[in-house]
């Protein structure tokens, strides 16, 4: 593993050497027993592991023993979502995976190998949304079955079919976290190991969750996602987006010791090449530049939404995260259940605070107050692995949401809803939490005379995986006002 990580689109079409070697290594690793910590399935089970589901999927034979290190709170079932550990945990997980695959490639072919990334939002590449050819080819060049498409995806998928809001808008956020973790790029605060916690960071929500759902199949379920070889190229791109973000002027990464050194109740651990080596524990700080899990990329510009040496976009700098204030200015009254039909709910707003917030949304003069508005969905629960929920604001009464894209606040992929809603084990059953930046939409509504500072009408529209038989519940929907002072 010597070369830097490269865009898979630059490696050549079809069976280029990197992907052919990946397929060879995967084939060999997928034949290793689950007990082996460098086996394909063990590495997948580190992300999420559910013995019943795995038996049902015939990933383990009925009656076969389950390795204890997958169920004893060490290696198994570790993935971190909905918290500020999302990016750092997945970075070390990628590093461990890449080291193990590279060692296997070396053993089989003598070649060096580095994990490539799938640059799906590269606007300069007309094929960016397509899965690389090698992931959909039926056979390897020698005519044998292609292991890179061994595990199920959305039927017939060859490319990501984006809908409402698959984008790099997360890269516009300037702060890893603000308002005690209520909002931000990187996820909510926790001191503890929590598989799925309450606040999904902007990058995790989109494009990360969105790509999981769009690929579908195993990728759409955290208990199975790590088994699809495309998972690793997807996460490599998410990791690169984080790195690009950290390297952009004006962005503030977190320096909180709880993030740097946590979690404190259970240690993260990854395996290393070599049969059942003891594994290495790590904390978030090991994943930053200079740390043992840091890896460079060939390019932090293309498909990242950032320009070299300049701020990502022309979003107004709201000042240091410690000085910004995030406060609720209204919430709905009761739990909302969404089945097959759309559901409306009303948020009563504090009119003075709202009017003031709306008036200063567009502020650009240095020293003046500037605000952004967010819709927060808290404790979302349900049984499906990655349902789609669309959120509209102030739809005309009785209107069909599909006819009013201008009222769409965002599309949420509730990736891991199944895991986050389980009440047993370490998931706590708290469900998932999301925020949607509604600043631009609120400004448009205000300009059109459709924004009443007394209340906001919210319409939740069920997408795939939400039905009367598999409804979702949203404990609370609130509007958050984020205030800062324009810095130039
Ligand atoms: Cu993921």
């Amino acid at each position: 593993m010597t070369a830097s990580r490269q865009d898979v689109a630059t490696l050549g079409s079809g069976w280029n050497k990197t992907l052919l070697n990946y397929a060879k290594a995967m084939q060999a690793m997928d034949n290793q027993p689950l007990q082996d910590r460098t086996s394909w399935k063990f590495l997948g089970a580190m992300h999420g592991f559910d013995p019943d589901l795995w038996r049902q999927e015939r990933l383990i034979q009925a009656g076969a023993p389950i390795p204890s290190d997958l169920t004893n709170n060490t290696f198994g079932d570790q993935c971190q979502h909905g918290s500020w550990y999302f990016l750092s945990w997945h970075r070390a997980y990628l590093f461990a995976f890449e080291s193990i695959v590279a060692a296997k490639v070396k053993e089989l072919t003598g070649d060096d190998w580095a994990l490539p990334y799938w640059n799906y939002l590269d606007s300069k590449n007309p094929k960016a949304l397509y899965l690389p050819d090698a992931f959909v080819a039926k056979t390897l060049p020698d005519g044998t079955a292609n292991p890179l498409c061994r595990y199920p995806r959305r039927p017939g998928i060859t490319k990501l079919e984006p809908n409402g809001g698959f984008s790099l808008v997360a890269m516009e956020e300037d702060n890893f976290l603000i308002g005690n973790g209520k909002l931000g790029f990187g996820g909510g605060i926790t001191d503890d190991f929590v598989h799925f916690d309450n606040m999904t960071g902007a990058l995790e929500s989109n494009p990360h969750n969105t790509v999981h759902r769009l690929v579908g199949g195993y990728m759409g379920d955290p208990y199975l996602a790590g088994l699809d070889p495309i998972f690793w190229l997807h996460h490599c791109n998410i990791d690169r987006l984080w790195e690009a973000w950290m390297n952009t002027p004006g962005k503030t990464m977190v320096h909180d010791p709880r993030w740097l050194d946590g979690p404190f109740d259970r240690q993260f651990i990854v395996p290393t090449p070599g049969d059942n080596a003891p594994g290495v524990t790590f904390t978030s700080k090991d994943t930053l530049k200079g740390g043992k899990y840091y890896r460079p990329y060939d390019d932090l510009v293309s498909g990242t939404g950032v320009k070299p040496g300049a701020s990502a976009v022309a979003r107004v700098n709201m000042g240091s995260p410690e000085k910004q204030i995030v406060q609720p200015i209204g919430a709905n009254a009761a739990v909302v259940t969404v089945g097959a039909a759309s559901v409306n709910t009303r948020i009563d707003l504090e009119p003075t605070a709202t009017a003031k917030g709306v008036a200063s949304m567009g502020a650009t003069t240095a020293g003046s107050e500037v605000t952004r508005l967010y819709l927060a969905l808290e404790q979302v629960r349900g049984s499906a692995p990655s349902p789609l929920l669309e959120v509209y604001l102030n739809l005309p009464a009785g209107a069909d949401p599909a006819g009013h894209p201008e009222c769409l606040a965002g599309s949420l992929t509730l990736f891991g809803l199944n895991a986050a809603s389980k009440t047993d084990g370490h998931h706590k059953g708290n469900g998932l939490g999301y925020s949607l930046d509604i600043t631009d939409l609120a400004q448009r509504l205000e300009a059109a005379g459709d924004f009443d500072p007394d209340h906001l009408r919210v319409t939740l529209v069920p997408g795939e995986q939400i039905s009367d038989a598999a409804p979702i519940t949203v404990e609370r929907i609130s509007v958050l006002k984020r205030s800062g002072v324009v810095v130039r």
Side-chain angles (χ1 to χ4, degrees), residues 182-252:
K182 282 195 173 64
L183 299 172
F185 181 78
I189 297 174
T190 175
D191 294 4
D192 291 339
F193 182 106
V194 186
H195 210 25
F196 282 83
D197 209 7
N198 291 324
M199 214 299 280
T200 308
L203 183 67
E204 179 181 357
S205 187
N206 185 16
H208 167 263
N209 283 0
T210 310
V211 169
H212 272 284
R213 180 178 57 78
L214 291 174
V215 174
Y218 277 17
M219 273 284 277
D221 189 328
Y223 290 119
L224 301 166
L227 294 171
D228 188 335
I230 199 70
F231 169 94
W232 303 93
L233 279 74
H234 167 38
H235 264 277
C236 195
N237 196 44
I238 295 296
D239 187 69
R240 185 181 69 108
L241 291 173
W242 177 32
E243 190 60 25
W245 184 90
M246 284 193 285
N247 281 274
T248 303
K251 307 295 189 190
T252 307

Side-chain angles (χ1 to χ4, degrees), residues 190-332:
T190 175
D191 294 4
D192 291 339
F193 182 106
V194 186
H195 210 25
F196 282 83
D197 209 7
N198 291 324
M199 214 299 280
T200 308
L203 183 67
E204 179 181 357
S205 187
N206 185 16
H208 167 263
N209 283 0
T210 310
V211 169
H212 272 284
R213 180 178 57 78
L214 291 174
V215 174
Y218 277 17
M219 273 284 277
D221 189 328
Y223 290 119
L224 301 166
L227 294 171
D228 188 335
I230 199 70
F231 169 94
W232 303 93
L233 279 74
H234 167 38
H235 264 277
C236 195
N237 196 44
I238 295 296
D239 187 69
R240 185 181 69 108
L241 291 173
W242 177 32
E243 190 60 25
W245 184 90
M246 284 193 285
N247 281 274
T248 303
K251 307 295 189 190
T252 307
M253 190 51 208
V254 72
H255 304 294
D256 190 312
R258 291 172 296 173
W259 182 82
L260 290 167
D261 301 325
F264 298 103
D265 61 336
R266 169 177 166 184
Q267 282 191 299
F268 298 145
I269 186 166
V270 287
T272 50
D275 286 350
N276 289 353
V280 183
T281 60
F282 69 95
T283 64
S284 295
K285 83 170 169 291
D286 297 319
T287 68
L288 297 175
K289 197 174 271 177
K292 64 188 175 194
Y293 292 130
Y294 181 81
R295 287 275 287 134
Y297 288 95
D298 64 336
D299 187 325
L300 294 177
V301 175
S302 90
T304 65
V306 302
K307 299 181 193 77
S311 293
V313 285
R315 184 176 281 188
V316 164
N317 184 330
M318 299 178 73
S320 75
E322 295 78 23
K323 287 190 180 147
Q324 294 178 44
I325 295 165
V326 178
Q327 58 185 136
I329 54 171
N332 68 339

Side-chain angles (χ1 to χ4, degrees), residues 13 60 72 145 198 223 255-256 341 343 348 360 370 400 404:
S13 61
I60 36 183
N72 67 0
N198 291 324
Y223 290 119
H255 304 294
D256 190 312
V343 177
D348 286 314
S360 48
V370 58
D400 176 8
H404 292 272

Side-chain angles (χ1 to χ4, degrees), residues 14-25 113 134 140-141 148:
W15 285 110
N16 59 68
K17 193 158 103 172
T18 302
L19 294 183
L20 183 57
N21 282 343
Y22 187 34
K24 286 178 183 168
W113 190 84
L140 293 171
L148 299 184

